[in-house]
mmCIF file of all heavy atoms in Angstrom:
data_model
loop_
_atom_site.group_PDB
_atom_site.id
_atom_site.type_symbol
_atom_site.label_atom_id
_atom_site.label_comp_id
_atom_site.label_asym_id
_atom_site.label_seq_id
_atom_site.Cartn_x
_atom_site.Cartn_y
_atom_site.Cartn_z
ATOM 1 N N MET A 917 35.499 72.049 62.057
ATOM 2 C CA MET A 917 34.698 72.998 62.574
ATOM 3 C C MET A 917 35.304 74.348 62.934
ATOM 4 O O MET A 917 34.736 75.433 62.693
ATOM 5 C CB MET A 917 33.936 72.402 63.780
ATOM 6 C CG MET A 917 32.942 71.269 63.346
ATOM 7 S SD MET A 917 32.241 70.483 64.843
ATOM 8 C CE MET A 917 30.940 71.661 65.273
ATOM 9 N N LEU A 918 36.488 74.176 63.510
ATOM 10 C CA LEU A 918 37.189 75.383 63.877
ATOM 11 C C LEU A 918 37.554 76.144 62.593
ATOM 12 O O LEU A 918 37.449 77.306 62.611
ATOM 13 C CB LEU A 918 38.546 75.050 64.626
ATOM 14 C CG LEU A 918 38.446 74.753 66.071
ATOM 15 C CD1 LEU A 918 39.773 74.181 66.561
ATOM 16 C CD2 LEU A 918 38.116 76.160 66.745
ATOM 17 N N ALA A 919 37.965 75.538 61.517
ATOM 18 C CA ALA A 919 38.429 76.166 60.309
ATOM 19 C C ALA A 919 37.184 76.921 59.637
ATOM 20 O O ALA A 919 37.309 78.004 59.248
ATOM 21 C CB ALA A 919 38.966 75.118 59.336
ATOM 22 N N LEU A 920 36.057 76.200 59.706
ATOM 23 C CA LEU A 920 34.829 76.835 59.209
ATOM 24 C C LEU A 920 34.308 78.115 59.983
ATOM 25 O O LEU A 920 34.037 79.136 59.444
ATOM 26 C CB LEU A 920 33.743 75.813 59.143
ATOM 27 C CG LEU A 920 32.399 76.258 58.465
ATOM 28 C CD1 LEU A 920 32.614 76.670 57.033
ATOM 29 C CD2 LEU A 920 31.246 75.253 58.553
ATOM 30 N N GLY A 921 34.352 77.904 61.289
ATOM 31 C CA GLY A 921 34.042 79.024 62.124
ATOM 32 C C GLY A 921 34.961 80.235 62.058
ATOM 33 O O GLY A 921 34.544 81.445 61.921
ATOM 34 N N VAL A 922 36.254 79.984 61.871
ATOM 35 C CA VAL A 922 37.323 81.016 61.641
ATOM 36 C C VAL A 922 37.039 81.642 60.306
ATOM 37 O O VAL A 922 37.039 82.953 60.154
ATOM 38 C CB VAL A 922 38.719 80.516 61.761
ATOM 39 C CG1 VAL A 922 39.760 81.549 61.334
ATOM 40 C CG2 VAL A 922 39.005 80.175 63.286
ATOM 41 N N PHE A 923 36.656 80.825 59.358
ATOM 42 C CA PHE A 923 36.313 81.396 57.986
ATOM 43 C C PHE A 923 35.183 82.382 58.057
ATOM 44 O O PHE A 923 35.162 83.536 57.446
ATOM 45 C CB PHE A 923 35.954 80.332 57.029
ATOM 46 C CG PHE A 923 35.347 80.812 55.725
ATOM 47 C CD1 PHE A 923 36.159 81.399 54.691
ATOM 48 C CD2 PHE A 923 33.983 80.612 55.498
ATOM 49 C CE1 PHE A 923 35.465 81.764 53.516
ATOM 50 C CE2 PHE A 923 33.395 81.042 54.352
ATOM 51 C CZ PHE A 923 34.195 81.639 53.317
ATOM 52 N N PHE A 924 34.105 81.998 58.836
ATOM 53 C CA PHE A 924 32.887 82.932 58.831
ATOM 54 C C PHE A 924 33.327 84.217 59.570
ATOM 55 O O PHE A 924 32.857 85.273 59.216
ATOM 56 C CB PHE A 924 31.823 82.244 59.649
ATOM 57 C CG PHE A 924 30.913 81.537 58.743
ATOM 58 C CD1 PHE A 924 31.107 80.157 58.583
ATOM 59 C CD2 PHE A 924 29.862 82.163 58.032
ATOM 60 C CE1 PHE A 924 30.260 79.381 57.686
ATOM 61 C CE2 PHE A 924 29.027 81.459 57.270
ATOM 62 C CZ PHE A 924 29.196 80.005 57.010
ATOM 63 N N LEU A 925 34.076 84.193 60.626
ATOM 64 C CA LEU A 925 34.501 85.327 61.454
ATOM 65 C C LEU A 925 35.379 86.294 60.619
ATOM 66 O O LEU A 925 35.292 87.531 60.692
ATOM 67 C CB LEU A 925 35.113 84.976 62.860
ATOM 68 C CG LEU A 925 34.109 84.196 63.747
ATOM 69 C CD1 LEU A 925 34.833 83.832 64.920
ATOM 70 C CD2 LEU A 925 32.927 85.031 64.079
ATOM 71 N N VAL A 926 36.347 85.600 59.854
ATOM 72 C CA VAL A 926 37.223 86.446 59.004
ATOM 73 C C VAL A 926 36.389 87.128 57.873
ATOM 74 O O VAL A 926 36.558 88.302 57.517
ATOM 75 C CB VAL A 926 38.321 85.577 58.403
ATOM 76 C CG1 VAL A 926 39.063 86.280 57.334
ATOM 77 C CG2 VAL A 926 39.323 85.166 59.492
ATOM 78 N N TRP A 927 35.423 86.448 57.278
ATOM 79 C CA TRP A 927 34.545 86.922 56.250
ATOM 80 C C TRP A 927 33.843 88.133 56.963
ATOM 81 O O TRP A 927 33.597 89.133 56.196
ATOM 82 C CB TRP A 927 33.557 85.877 55.851
ATOM 83 C CG TRP A 927 32.621 86.239 54.723
ATOM 84 C CD1 TRP A 927 32.667 87.276 53.931
ATOM 85 C CD2 TRP A 927 31.443 85.653 54.512
ATOM 86 N NE1 TRP A 927 31.511 87.321 53.075
ATOM 87 C CE2 TRP A 927 30.725 86.279 53.375
ATOM 88 C CE3 TRP A 927 30.788 84.392 54.985
ATOM 89 C CZ2 TRP A 927 29.683 85.824 52.853
ATOM 90 C CZ3 TRP A 927 29.703 84.011 54.457
ATOM 91 C CH2 TRP A 927 29.030 84.618 53.409
ATOM 92 N N LEU A 928 33.341 87.992 58.107
ATOM 93 C CA LEU A 928 32.576 89.119 58.732
ATOM 94 C C LEU A 928 33.535 90.343 58.912
ATOM 95 O O LEU A 928 33.139 91.454 58.697
ATOM 96 C CB LEU A 928 32.068 88.659 60.089
ATOM 97 C CG LEU A 928 31.384 89.648 60.952
ATOM 98 C CD1 LEU A 928 30.038 90.053 60.410
ATOM 99 C CD2 LEU A 928 31.159 89.154 62.361
ATOM 100 N N LYS A 929 34.766 90.072 59.299
ATOM 101 C CA LYS A 929 35.678 91.147 59.524
ATOM 102 C C LYS A 929 36.099 91.824 58.143
ATOM 103 O O LYS A 929 36.190 93.094 58.127
ATOM 104 C CB LYS A 929 36.945 90.537 60.200
ATOM 105 C CG LYS A 929 37.966 91.623 60.658
ATOM 106 C CD LYS A 929 37.555 92.348 61.763
ATOM 107 C CE LYS A 929 38.640 93.152 62.326
ATOM 108 N NZ LYS A 929 38.119 94.172 63.299
ATOM 109 N N LEU A 930 36.272 91.072 57.131
ATOM 110 C CA LEU A 930 36.584 91.702 55.852
ATOM 111 C C LEU A 930 35.463 92.419 55.167
ATOM 112 O O LEU A 930 35.737 93.380 54.494
ATOM 113 C CB LEU A 930 37.300 90.702 54.980
ATOM 114 C CG LEU A 930 38.517 90.015 55.436
ATOM 115 C CD1 LEU A 930 39.004 88.868 54.424
ATOM 116 C CD2 LEU A 930 39.612 91.044 55.591
ATOM 117 N N ARG A 931 34.260 91.877 55.273
ATOM 118 C CA ARG A 931 33.158 92.538 54.669
ATOM 119 C C ARG A 931 31.982 92.657 55.689
ATOM 120 O O ARG A 931 31.112 91.852 55.728
ATOM 121 C CB ARG A 931 32.634 91.616 53.540
ATOM 122 C CG ARG A 931 33.515 91.546 52.431
ATOM 123 C CD ARG A 931 32.871 91.133 51.192
ATOM 124 N NE ARG A 931 33.597 91.630 50.023
ATOM 125 C CZ ARG A 931 32.989 92.223 49.001
ATOM 126 N NH1 ARG A 931 31.721 92.285 49.015
ATOM 127 N NH2 ARG A 931 33.723 92.534 47.945
ATOM 128 N N PRO A 932 32.088 93.808 56.510
ATOM 129 C CA PRO A 932 31.151 93.949 57.513
ATOM 130 C C PRO A 932 29.689 94.280 56.881
ATOM 131 O O PRO A 932 29.491 94.630 55.720
ATOM 132 C CB PRO A 932 31.632 95.156 58.324
ATOM 133 C CG PRO A 932 32.685 95.754 57.522
ATOM 134 C CD PRO A 932 33.160 94.776 56.401
ATOM 135 N N ALA A 933 28.679 93.920 57.629
ATOM 136 C CA ALA A 933 27.361 94.126 57.225
ATOM 137 C C ALA A 933 26.982 95.609 57.094
ATOM 138 O O ALA A 933 27.415 96.482 58.019
ATOM 139 C CB ALA A 933 26.292 93.606 58.179
ATOM 140 N N GLU A 934 26.264 95.980 55.989
ATOM 141 C CA GLU A 934 25.869 97.356 55.876
ATOM 142 C C GLU A 934 24.300 97.429 56.239
ATOM 143 O O GLU A 934 23.656 96.478 56.049
ATOM 144 C CB GLU A 934 25.965 97.713 54.420
ATOM 145 C CG GLU A 934 27.517 97.844 54.059
ATOM 146 C CD GLU A 934 27.653 98.272 52.556
ATOM 147 O OE1 GLU A 934 26.599 98.749 51.943
ATOM 148 O OE2 GLU A 934 28.687 98.142 51.915
ATOM 149 N N ALA A 935 24.006 98.586 56.789
ATOM 150 C CA ALA A 935 22.650 98.724 57.143
ATOM 151 C C ALA A 935 21.777 98.880 55.893
ATOM 152 O O ALA A 935 22.345 99.470 54.887
ATOM 153 C CB ALA A 935 22.446 100.007 58.061
ATOM 154 N N PRO A 936 20.487 98.450 55.911
ATOM 155 C CA PRO A 936 19.700 98.724 54.735
ATOM 156 C C PRO A 936 19.495 100.151 54.481
ATOM 157 O O PRO A 936 19.334 100.954 55.395
ATOM 158 C CB PRO A 936 18.376 97.975 55.111
ATOM 159 C CG PRO A 936 18.521 97.646 56.597
ATOM 160 C CD PRO A 936 19.861 97.786 57.032
ATOM 161 N N LYS A 937 19.493 100.573 53.185
ATOM 162 C CA LYS A 937 19.348 101.929 52.830
ATOM 163 C C LYS A 937 17.864 102.267 52.865
ATOM 164 O O LYS A 937 16.987 101.521 52.394
ATOM 165 C CB LYS A 937 19.916 102.079 51.419
ATOM 166 C CG LYS A 937 21.288 101.787 51.182
ATOM 167 C CD LYS A 937 22.174 102.840 51.952
ATOM 168 C CE LYS A 937 23.636 102.440 51.560
ATOM 169 N NZ LYS A 937 24.555 102.893 52.548
ATOM 170 N N GLY A 938 17.597 103.396 53.424
ATOM 171 C CA GLY A 938 16.267 103.839 53.534
ATOM 172 C C GLY A 938 15.983 104.815 52.398
ATOM 173 O O GLY A 938 16.804 105.046 51.483
ATOM 174 N N PRO A 939 14.752 105.267 52.295
ATOM 175 C CA PRO A 939 14.467 106.173 51.152
ATOM 176 C C PRO A 939 15.295 107.493 51.317
ATOM 177 O O PRO A 939 15.500 107.997 52.419
ATOM 178 C CB PRO A 939 12.912 106.508 51.406
ATOM 179 C CG PRO A 939 12.603 106.091 52.754
ATOM 180 C CD PRO A 939 13.558 105.051 53.216
#
Side-chain angles (χ1 to χ4, degrees):
M917 292 174 78
L918 277 171
L920 184 62
V922 168
F923 167 76
F924 272 96
L925 296 176
V926 168
W927 179 20
L928 176 70
K929 186 73 171 170
L930 294 177
R931 292 201 156 222
E934 294 180 14
K937 303 287 186 208

